[in-house]
């Protein structure tokens, strides 16, 4: 009887979490509940997860707290290396050449979808600065989106600890693109001004995001159900130009990608291009 109560209790909160942000808490991750919500449960004296779930159903603030606690925001500069190398040495020069004869020869749009605290979009901005010495003459914009307001606040501020800085940046990049402020490092405006930050829940329709040449959607869909993941990548494909490029996480392999994308390998990175739409 006790076991049944406990599992019903947990099912309710797992359900709320998935409806709020798409993250699935499966049997192997039940330990996360105590780890992420134990303190909140004690502070607010919820007697069990069912009560937390019930209160969350129509309390926006509590919903936000649940999202902030359940999201895993691990990230670092130039994570996994190879997507950035493939872009810098091969794929972006190709896009730039292709754009030279187009209506908007100097326009580039990149999307760091699920950008966490900003290391990914700033890595893209650094790469573009190094690739395009005359970057100021280009109409370049990087959109950086995440559901977590904590993540977007830090990303917008662009202020990082020694530890965060030590993960992925070379000393030359640090000197060129950051200022030291006490024990912290602040991103220079020449990078920040290339990026637009926004809070966005990827379960919801992508209204007013525009079309992108390059999309990074890494280490988000691994937490989603098959259905939500398929829907997410379908909607991402709709936001990509015909010769656009999508990068997913190095540890991610989704067999259902082949419905909307073709897979290519460049410089040890796996890249997805949207398939041509049948009119
Ligand atoms: C592990 S981080 C990945 C960060 C970065 N893309 C990388 O690979 O280093 C996953 C991010 O997805 C965000 N996230 C989770 N659910 C989301 C949703 N429904 N909509 C938008 N972002 C979400 C989290 O807040 C978190 O910052």
């Amino acid at each position: 009887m006790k076991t049944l109560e406990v599992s019903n209790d947990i099912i309710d909160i797992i359900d709320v979490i998935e409806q709020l942000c798409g993250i699935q808490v499966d049997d192997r991750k039940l330990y996360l509940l105590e780890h992420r919500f134990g303190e909140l449960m004690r502070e607010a004296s919820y007697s069990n997860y069912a009560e937390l779930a019930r209160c969350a159903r129509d309390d926006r603030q509590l919903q936000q707290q649940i999202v902030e606690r359940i999201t895993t925001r691990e990230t670092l500069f130039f994570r996994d290396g190879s997507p950035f190398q493939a872009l810098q040495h091969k794929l972006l020069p190709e896009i730039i050449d292709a754009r030279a004869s187009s209506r908007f020869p100097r326009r580039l749009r990149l999307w760091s979808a699920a950008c966490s605290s900003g290391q990914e979009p700033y890595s893209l901005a650094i790469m573009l600065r190094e690739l395009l010495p005359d970057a100021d003459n280009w109409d370049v914009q990087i959109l950086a989106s995440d559901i977590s307001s904590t993540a977007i606040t830090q990303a917008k501020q662009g202020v990082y600890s020694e530890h965060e800085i030590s993960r992925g940046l070379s000393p030359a990049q640090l000197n060129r693109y950051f200022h030291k402020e006490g024990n912290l490092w602040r991103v220079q405006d020449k990078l920040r001004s290339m990026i637009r930050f926004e809070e966005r829940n990827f379960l919801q329709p992508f209204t007013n995001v525009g079309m992108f040449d390059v999309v990074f959607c890494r280490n988000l869909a691994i937490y989603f159900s098959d259905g939500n993941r398929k829907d997410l990548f379908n909607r991402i494909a709709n936001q990509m130009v015909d010769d656009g490029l999508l990068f997913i996480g190095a540890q991610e392999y989704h067999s259902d990608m082949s419905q909307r994308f073709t897979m290519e390998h460049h410089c040890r990175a796996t890249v997805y291009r949207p398939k041509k739409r049948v009119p």
Side-chain angles (χ1 to χ4, degrees):
M1 191 62 194
K2 182 79 183 151
T3 324
L4 189 64
E5 273 169 26
V6 170
S7 66
N8 279 342
D9 181 33
I10 287 175
I11 285 166
D12 285 351
I13 190 67
I14 287 176
D15 219 38
V16 166
I17 292 169
E18 191 170 2
Q19 281 172 28
L20 287 177
C21 58
I23 293 176
Q24 281 196 309
V25 181
D26 63 25
D27 291 355
R28 290 161 301 154
K29 294 198 197 132
L30 289 181
Y31 67 92
L32 271 181
L33 294 178
E34 169 54 26
H35 189 244
R36 305 282 175 96
F37 298 117
E39 192 188 306
L40 175 71
M41 299 276 290
R42 285 186 288 279
E43 273 171 13
S45 308
Y46 295 116
S47 46
N48 53 31
Y49 290 119
E51 191 184 352
L52 173 63
R54 205 168 41 252
C55 293
R57 293 219 180 254
D58 42 27
D59 179 340
R60 280 292 307 147
Q61 234 183 330
L62 184 55
Q63 291 174 5
Q64 188 64 36
Q65 285 187 56
I66 290 175
V67 167
E68 294 299 332
R69 282 167 195 262
I70 199 64
T71 44
T72 299
R73 300 193 288 270
E74 160 66 11
T75 188
L76 60 150
F77 291 96
F78 294 97
R79 185 175 193 170
D80 301 331
S82 59
F84 296 93
Q85 281 150 22
L87 271 176
Q88 183 157 5
H89 298 301
K90 181 154 197 297
L91 299 165
L92 265 175
E94 282 175 7
I95 291 188
I96 290 165
D97 277 353
R99 295 296 174 276
S101 55
S102 79
R103 255 180 83 204
F104 303 108
R106 290 187 157 245
R107 184 160 84 181
L108 276 179
R109 293 287 182 268
L110 290 82
W111 190 9
S112 172
C115 65
S116 189
S117 37
Q119 286 88 332
E120 184 174 274
Y122 287 122
S123 303
L124 289 169
I126 291 173
M127 187 201 64
L128 285 173
R129 284 264 157 202
E130 314 228 311
L131 191 70
L132 304 170
D134 60 342
D136 292 330
N137 296 324
W138 280 73
D139 172 13
V140 179
Q141 194 178 73
I142 301 167
L143 177 65
S145 321
D146 201 282
I147 196 173
S148 158
S149 64
T150 312
I152 289 295
T153 303
Q154 186 185 356
K156 261 187 199 158
Q157 284 168 344
V159 177
Y160 297 97
S161 66
E162 289 280 355
H163 173 67
E164 288 167 319
I165 283 298
S166 70
R167 300 178 73 204
L169 286 176
S170 70
Q173 289 164 333
L174 193 53
N175 283 332
R176 220 171 292 148
Y177 300 109
F178 291 78
H179 296 297
K180 191 147 203 245
E181 291 183 359
N183 291 332
L184 301 171
W185 293 85
R186 182 182 291 277
V187 168
Q188 291 185 13
D189 284 345
K190 65 181 172 193
L191 285 193
R192 208 189 353 247
S193 61
M194 297 168 71
I195 306 173
R196 183 160 69 82
F197 297 97
E198 61 160 25
E199 264 178 61
R200 180 181 289 278
N201 184 347
F202 280 49
L203 286 187
Q204 289 164 9
F206 292 142
T207 37
N208 302 323
V209 286
M211 299 296 284
F212 295 91
D213 302 289
V214 177
V215 179
F216 272 50
C217 184
R218 303 189 303 159
N219 306 304
L220 163 67
I222 37 168
Y223 301 106
F224 280 13
S225 67
D226 292 355
N228 278 336
R229 188 180 63 237
K230 220 162 154 177
D231 176 59
L232 171 69
F233 285 120
N234 259 326
R235 290 182 293 115
I236 287 180
N238 294 340
Q239 305 304 136
M240 295 174 67
V241 299
D242 287 348
D243 59 350
L245 305 164
L246 166 69
F247 293 87
I248 64 175
Q251 313 303 328
E252 292 178 80
Y253 169 73
H254 305 310
S255 52
D256 45 21
M257 295 292 282
S258 61
Q259 291 171 6
R260 288 298 304 270
F261 296 92
T262 52
M263 192 200 274
E264 296 176 12
H265 300 282
H266 300 281
C267 308
R268 287 189 288 143
T270 303
V271 186
Y272 293 87
R273 290 198 195 261
K275 287 184 175 169
K276 293 250 177 314
R277 264 160 287 195
V278 183

